[in-house]
Amino acid sequence: MLDNGVGGTVEKASGRVMQQLLYREVPYPIDQVRSWLHQFSWPQKFLTADGFTWEEGDGSWVAFVWELQRTTYLKVFRWQGAAGQPREQEFLARLEAEIQQTFPVHYPQLPEIDPQQDIFEALAPHYPLTAKYFQQVPNGAYSLKRVYWWEKIWREGVSRPQTPRTVIFQGEPTAWPGLQYDILYVGAALGVIHATRMAQLGFKVAVVERTRFGGMNREWNISRKELTALVDLGLITPEEMESLIIKEYYDGLNKFFDGNVPAPAKAPVLHTPTVLNVALDAERLLKLCGEKLRALGGHIYDFTEFERATVGTEGVLVEAVDLQTRAPCRWGARLVVDAMGSASPIAQQLNGGRAFDSVCPTVGAVVEGFEPGVWDKNLGDVLYSHGDISRGRQLIWELFPGHGDELTFYLFYYHEVHCDNPGSLLDLYEDFFAILPEYKRCDLDKLHFKKATFGYIPAYFSSNQRNRCTSYDRVLAIGDAASLQSPLVFTGFGSLVRNLPRLTDLLATALRHNLLTAADLNRIRAYQSNVAVTWLFSKGMMVPTGRTLPPERVNAILSTFFGILSEEPAAVVDDFIKDRAGWLAFNRMALRAARKNIRMLLWIWELTGWDYAKRWFPSYLEFTAHSLTKALLGGWVPPLLRNWQGVLEQKNPRLWHRLLTWSYSLTYSLGQGQTEGQTAHPQPGQDRSLTGGKVAQR
């Protein structure tokens, strides 16, 4: 196969030359598309099983369709004869026009169902495979209801971006119960990890969770080195860390389908043996943190739904409802931490409805029962695509080994949030069950589905460290609610673990001195300037709503860049995937990618446009400035400031908090953690609760 220089291919078959003229997706059932193609009016047309051929002069053409990834693809080839036949362009133009007219772009809508109806019966007419196989999942009805609920809440938030529900109020609350907690966390998945560390530092905390505490609808993967950070922080012991590890695989593969991409974009498999290669028992981690939290005097209120919070001068009144008894709940706290994830109404309100720019709708399952030889149980797929764009989405798989013979699968896509196309979990689950046998040779009816894993993983394009609102007076967002994590492979869990030392140290300092205004709290964030820059990369994975791209386009962009990564040293690859890439490495790889496939720049420009470029360029300048500042000051300023901490913190707490924030930003802004001597966290057991510590003057 040869590159024809314009994105098509030239093949020799039976002594004749074949050149691709058209390749596009028609996102409708193949029977419907095949029937239309057979009825397409064109003289001298001869029908075939999946299309037709036609001849004119010394040239002949063939058009045919095939099905993959629950969608239909169409190609047109010229078999022989000189290019430029006068009827060829007319034929292609007519074919394109009729495709657009007959098969308009449409996006799945969430069906309205009767809440009293059996969830399987209600969804079976719309998502038959999903309804069928969720019945094999333990507690599948509950899980499927959660999928439906989560999508419904997400859609409502996206479709009404200008009118977010008001849940944070300001004013003196009535029936003030008094200060019961220093911090009240709303959301337990990431909240309980953060809360446990704050409890270790002596603060009185509580966690409110809408569902059963410890239940998870996602698995967590991380590297051993990153997980060790929790040990270094004192959150868990080395023995506890080992007990949390379900499986540690020896290599992770990254490969994007390149059967239709131009030759310069083709790439070998990229090996990342230390990326997400440790599978964690997420529920055990949460329960372990919960036990430590309770032992330290903290409280966990599960099956309790947050309703509103009123910020007053003495603290925050949090109001919720017990979902089991329907009894109202009220607590008084100095600070509320929003850890409710991507569906957070607080995040929506804080950002005027624009809580996120993009999202990864993600579905999957923990599965066992694969026949021997299908997959090495100690090998993972970190990022893998086995086909081109499908119904306006580039579907990507992840596969992580789990306990015993279990495999954890994820199917997701990068998506720009749009009110007409919010992204559907249920439709993606239908893809998951339909496509899994294509991805890994298997019979679904012989597999055992142990657990459903799903969610919306949001991201927000922060052009600088100030334009993303993560706080209000006495209110702070973390994790997916803050949406400051990597757009590539890290969720809010990876971001939280990576940033937990600075987040908890800065928050402890703020609480110690009552620095709880929005301006003070807004400095406590997981922002990284290098992550903001890599948004350009993630943007190249998103198909804009309402547009039809060449099906191979996203795979071509991904293959080009991952081909460059495959030629880099392992340490550089590890840094890039884990959001630790520095300025020199980023620019070197970007230039190499442009030289290897200059068309990639045009492709990305077509996807981003001038408006996005104007937003991205300041991010690049800030990334450059942070890199230069780190190189000049990162090695000696943080230890120097720590030496002055006693004097500075005593005389001017707010100034010290700002200097501490700047000190952490010298390293964490590039995702590389603290330097030696930088961290000097308060030790567990110190009195910081409620009235402990000095109150800063305002």
Side-chain angles (χ1 to χ4, degrees):
M1 184 177 293
L2 306 171
D3 192 317
N4 70 1
V6 293
T9 58
V10 177
E11 294 185 358
K12 290 187 176 180
S14 304
R16 297 191 296 173
V17 176
M18 181 173 68
Q19 182 174 7
Q20 180 180 303
L21 302 177
L22 177 68
Y23 173 38
R24 68 162 297 164
E25 181 205 5
V26 188
Y28 284 76
I30 189 170
D31 291 342
Q32 187 176 346
V33 180
R34 184 191 295 116
S35 176
W36 161 81
L37 192 59
H38 281 164
Q39 296 172 23
F40 180 76
S41 176
W42 193 255
Q44 299 176 313
K45 183 180 75 171
F46 301 94
L47 296 184
T48 63
D50 292 309
F52 63 82
T53 64
W54 67 280
E55 298 181 359
E56 185 172 325
D58 61 349
S60 61
W61 291 260
V62 58
F64 61 93
V65 294
W66 75 97
E67 186 178 31
L68 186 71
Q69 300 186 130
R70 214 160 62 94
T71 190
T72 304
Y73 297 93
L74 180 148
K75 278 191 175 184
V76 176
F77 283 90
R78 182 196 304 121
W79 276 98
Q80 63 181 12
Q85 291 281 352
R87 298 264 288 169
E88 181 178 273
Q89 291 305 314
E90 178 188 350
F91 167 73
L92 294 174
R94 273 193 54 190
L95 197 67
E96 284 272 25
E98 288 201 21
I99 289 174
Q100 295 178 14
Q101 181 178 2
T102 309
F103 304 104
V105 175
H106 68 284
Y107 300 103
Q109 301 297 312
L110 184 67
E112 291 293 335
I113 63 174
D114 183 353
Q116 304 304 317
Q117 188 180 6
D118 178 84
I119 188 67
F120 301 121
E121 293 180 359
L123 293 180
H126 311 280
Y127 306 105
L129 294 178
T130 303
K132 175 183 177 181
Y133 290 107
F134 258 83
Q135 294 182 60
Q136 301 180 19
V137 177
N139 207 13
Y142 173 77
S143 296
L144 190 54
K145 287 178 182 177
R146 289 200 67 189
V147 176
Y148 183 88
W149 168 83
W150 202 335
E151 180 170 338
K152 186 177 181 64
I153 294 297
W154 174 262
R155 283 179 175 272
E156 289 174 352
V158 172
S159 62
R160 293 192 295 273
Q162 302 304 318
T163 57
R165 181 165 60 99
T166 300
V167 292
I168 302 295
F169 300 86
Q170 192 165 21
E172 297 307 316
T174 58
W176 172 244
L179 284 176
Q180 299 162 282
Y181 302 103
D182 290 297
I183 316 171
L184 193 142
Y185 291 79
V186 185
L190 294 178
V192 73
I193 299 173
H194 195 285
T196 303
R197 176 56 185 164
M198 295 306 295
Q200 287 181 332
L201 297 179
F203 295 98
K204 191 169 184 181
V205 302
V207 177
V208 175
E209 169 59 30
R210 184 183 185 276
T211 60
R212 174 182 61 85
F213 172 71
M216 281 291 294
N217 49 28
R218 273 189 64 87
E219 299 299 299
W220 283 337
N221 281 72
I222 199 168
S223 69
R224 178 176 285 271
K225 183 177 180 180
E226 290 166 312
L227 185 59
T228 304
L230 298 182
V231 177
D232 296 339
L233 198 59
L235 189 66
I236 58 175
T237 67
E239 295 75 20
E240 289 169 339
M241 183 185 79
E242 294 300 327
S243 72
L244 295 172
I245 296 175
I246 297 174
K247 178 86 72 161
E248 188 170 7
Y249 64 66
Y250 65 85
D251 196 7
L253 309 182
N254 301 263
K255 178 63 179 176
F256 302 97
F257 179 68
D258 58 9
N260 294 302
V261 307
K266 294 182 182 294
V269 173
L270 174 66
H271 296 266
T272 53
T274 58
V275 173
L276 303 177
N277 63 307
V278 170
L280 288 184
D281 187 335
E283 292 193 2
R284 176 170 168 73
L285 174 59
L286 296 187
K287 291 177 181 177
L288 178 63
C289 288
E291 292 170 2
K292 292 176 180 282
L293 178 65
R294 290 185 173 108
L296 290 165
H299 295 90
I300 298 173
Y301 303 97
D302 58 359
F303 296 107
T304 304
E305 185 170 21
F306 167 81
E307 291 192 330
R308 57 183 284 161
T310 305
V311 179
T313 56
E314 295 185 55
V316 187
L317 172 66
V318 178
E319 298 179 69
V321 60
D322 186 317
L323 296 178
Q324 295 177 312
T325 65
R326 308 308 301 178
C329 306
R330 296 162 65 91
W331 303 280
R334 296 172 62 199
L335 174 74
V336 169
V337 173
D338 175 15
M340 285 186 284
S342 58
S344 166
I346 294 178
Q348 290 283 343
Q349 181 181 341
L350 288 178
N351 292 278
R354 183 173 172 262
F356 316 109
D357 285 312
S358 73
V359 67
C360 284
T362 304
V363 303
V366 178
V367 184
E368 66 178 6
F370 281 88
E371 296 180 7
V374 171
W375 192 249
D376 184 340
K377 301 299 192 303
N378 294 301
L379 184 66
D381 272 350
V382 179
L383 293 169
Y384 181 91
S385 67
H386 83 285
D388 290 327
I389 292 172
S390 167
R391 302 201 312 284
R393 308 155 307 158
Q394 178 59 65
L395 300 177
I396 299 175
W397 289 92
E398 286 182 321
L399 184 160
F400 299 117
H403 181 73
D405 290 334
E406 292 178 357
L407 296 175
T408 299
F409 290 88
Y410 296 112
L411 180 64
F412 66 96
Y413 60 97
Y414 294 91
H415 181 59
E416 188 174 30
V417 175
H418 192 284
C419 59
D420 295 331
N421 182 21
S424 171
L425 292 180
L426 286 167
D427 192 65
L428 190 58
Y429 252 127
E430 196 71 6
D431 284 322
F432 177 85
F433 292 113
I435 300 171
L436 184 58
E438 299 174 4
Y439 170 46
K440 298 296 178 192
R441 185 180 72 250
C442 63
D443 182 344
L444 293 184
D445 293 325
K446 295 181 180 179
L447 299 180
H448 304 290
F449 294 93
K450 306 290 289 296
K451 180 181 180 180
T453 59
F454 53 88
Y456 288 100
I457 303 175
Y460 181 93
F461 174 55
S462 298
S463 57
N464 58 62
Q465 59 186 329
R466 296 167 298 279
N467 77 335
R468 166 69 175 172
C469 184
T470 60
S471 62
Y472 191 77
D473 288 352
R474 298 186 179 273
V475 178
L476 175 68
I478 64 170
D480 286 341
S483 189
L484 293 171
Q485 62 270 15
S486 163
L488 192 56
V489 296
F490 281 101
T491 64
F493 173 67
S495 177
L496 181 72
V497 170
R498 197 161 60 248
N499 288 278
L500 194 60
R502 73 158 163 173
L503 292 176
T504 53
D505 191 19
L506 289 171
L507 183 56
T509 303
L511 283 165
R512 192 159 61 242
H513 301 289
N514 205 31
L515 302 174
L516 302 178
T517 67
D520 293 319
L521 295 174
N522 212 35
R523 296 186 177 92
I524 306 172
R525 54 172 57 217
Y527 175 79
Q528 294 178 214
S529 59
N530 57 346
V531 169
V533 170
T534 56
W535 257 85
L536 185 67
F537 184 79
S538 68
K539 190 74 172 178
M541 305 181 193
M542 305 176 196
V543 180
T545 296
R547 289 183 56 186
T548 300
L549 297 181
E552 77 283 0
R553 178 59 49 81
V554 175
N555 277 325
I557 293 173
L558 293 171
S559 293
T560 297
F561 203 85
F562 273 67
I564 296 299
L565 279 175
S566 68
E567 300 168 0
E568 293 285 340
V572 174
V573 176
D574 202 62
D575 280 348
F576 181 82
I577 300 293
K578 293 179 180 177
D579 292 333
R580 297 197 304 260
W583 189 88
L584 289 175
F586 175 83
N587 284 278
R588 184 183 70 251
M589 288 187 289
L591 290 173
R592 287 183 59 200
R595 285 198 301 269
K596 178 181 179 181
N597 183 11
I598 191 64
R599 282 175 288 183
M600 188 178 73
L601 298 178
L602 177 60
W603 296 340
I604 293 177
W605 177 262
E606 290 175 346
L607 289 171
T608 60
W610 174 244
D611 288 341
Y612 179 83
K614 287 190 297 185
R615 295 177 61 199
W616 177 83
F617 189 66
S619 300
Y620 178 79
L621 294 179
E622 185 172 68
F623 175 43
T624 302
H626 278 169
S627 301
L628 179 60
T629 305
K630 177 184 181 297
L632 295 175
L633 306 177
W636 61 275
V637 167
L640 180 64
L641 287 175
R642 286 295 183 181
N643 290 334
W644 293 347
Q645 177 176 355
V647 175
L648 289 173
E649 187 171 10
Q650 182 178 8
K651 289 189 175 182
N652 194 327
R654 179 166 278 114
L655 174 61
W656 167 246
H657 190 248
R658 293 182 179 183
L659 289 173
L660 185 60
T661 301
W662 177 60
S663 174
Y664 275 120
S665 73
L666 289 176
T667 49
Y668 277 89
S669 65
L670 300 181
Q672 296 171 350
Q674 69 273 6
T675 57
E676 185 177 355
Q678 181 177 352
T679 306
H681 301 294
Q683 295 302 309
Q686 293 181 351
D687 180 17
R688 306 283 184 235
S689 61
L690 295 180
T691 59
K694 214 173 188 179
V695 177
Q697 296 183 3
R698 296 177 180 269

